[in-house]
């Protein structure tokens, strides 16, 4: 069994809390996410579950089973129904997101108490680049 310390979730939660309190560092947050093992729900076709918003595909990831279940229930799934998910390291997800032809970001614990978005890098018409992935 992988413990909270070994899977990097304690460090990720700590860095998210620091970031939300205004003391976090974006590079440290991203590297901590890349090292953490997160839960990633799958579609019925065994593909990564994404949610589209404003033309961006968001890969939904979770730091625990409870927020994953709450999110799925809020999305209208049948309570108690079987759902499949993978446990993946963040670096695999960031590499996947940046390799997509369309803008793809990652959202951690969407619908939870402390959701956090890692938006894709996008360059606007003036050449300004925003985002972290």
């Amino acid at each position: 069994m992988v413990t909270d310390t070994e899977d990097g979730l304690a460090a990720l939660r700590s860095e998210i809390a620091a970031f939300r309190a205004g003391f976090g560092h974006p590079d440290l947050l991203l590297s901590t996410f890349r090292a953490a093992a997160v839960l990633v729900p799958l579609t019925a076709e065994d593909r990564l579950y994404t949610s589209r918003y404003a033309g961006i595909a968001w890969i939904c990831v979770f730091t625990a089973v409870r927020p994953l279940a709450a999110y799925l229930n809020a999305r209208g799934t049948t309570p108690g129904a079987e759902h499949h998910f993978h446990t993946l390291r963040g670096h695999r997800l960031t590499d996947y997101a940046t390799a997509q032809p369309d803008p793809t970001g990652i959202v951690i614990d969407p619908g939870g108490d402390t959701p956090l978005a890692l938006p894709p890098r996008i360059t606007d018409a003036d050449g300004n680049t925003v985002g972290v992935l």
Side-chain angles (χ1 to χ4, degrees):
M1 181 171 149
V2 177
T3 66
D4 197 39
T5 303
E6 294 169 349
D7 64 15
L9 287 175
L12 178 60
R13 289 183 190 114
S14 176
E15 193 54 39
I16 289 172
F19 196 80
R20 293 180 72 74
F23 300 106
H25 300 280
D27 292 339
L28 182 56
L29 174 64
L30 186 57
S31 68
T32 303
F33 173 76
R34 288 180 57 82
V38 293
L39 306 178
V40 185
L42 301 175
T43 66
E45 297 80 29
D46 285 335
R47 301 179 72 74
L48 291 180
Y49 180 87
T50 59
S51 184
R52 282 212 167 265
Y53 182 76
I56 297 174
W58 293 93
I59 300 170
C60 302
V61 305
F62 298 86
T63 58
V65 172
R66 189 172 303 222
L68 168 57
Y71 178 81
L72 292 173
N73 287 338
R75 302 286 294 184
T77 61
T78 304
E82 185 175 295
H83 299 283
H84 297 266
F85 63 89
H86 281 304
T87 301
L88 298 171
R89 295 279 177 188
H91 71 88
R92 292 187 66 194
L93 295 164
T94 57
D95 292 350
Y96 175 83
T98 58
Q100 297 309 297
D102 295 323
T104 303
I106 297 170
V107 61
I108 304 167
D109 290 334
D113 294 335
T114 57
L116 184 78
L118 301 173
R121 280 192 200 275
I122 298 174
T123 303
D124 67 16
D126 296 325
N128 300 312
T129 301
V130 297
V132 296
L133 297 180

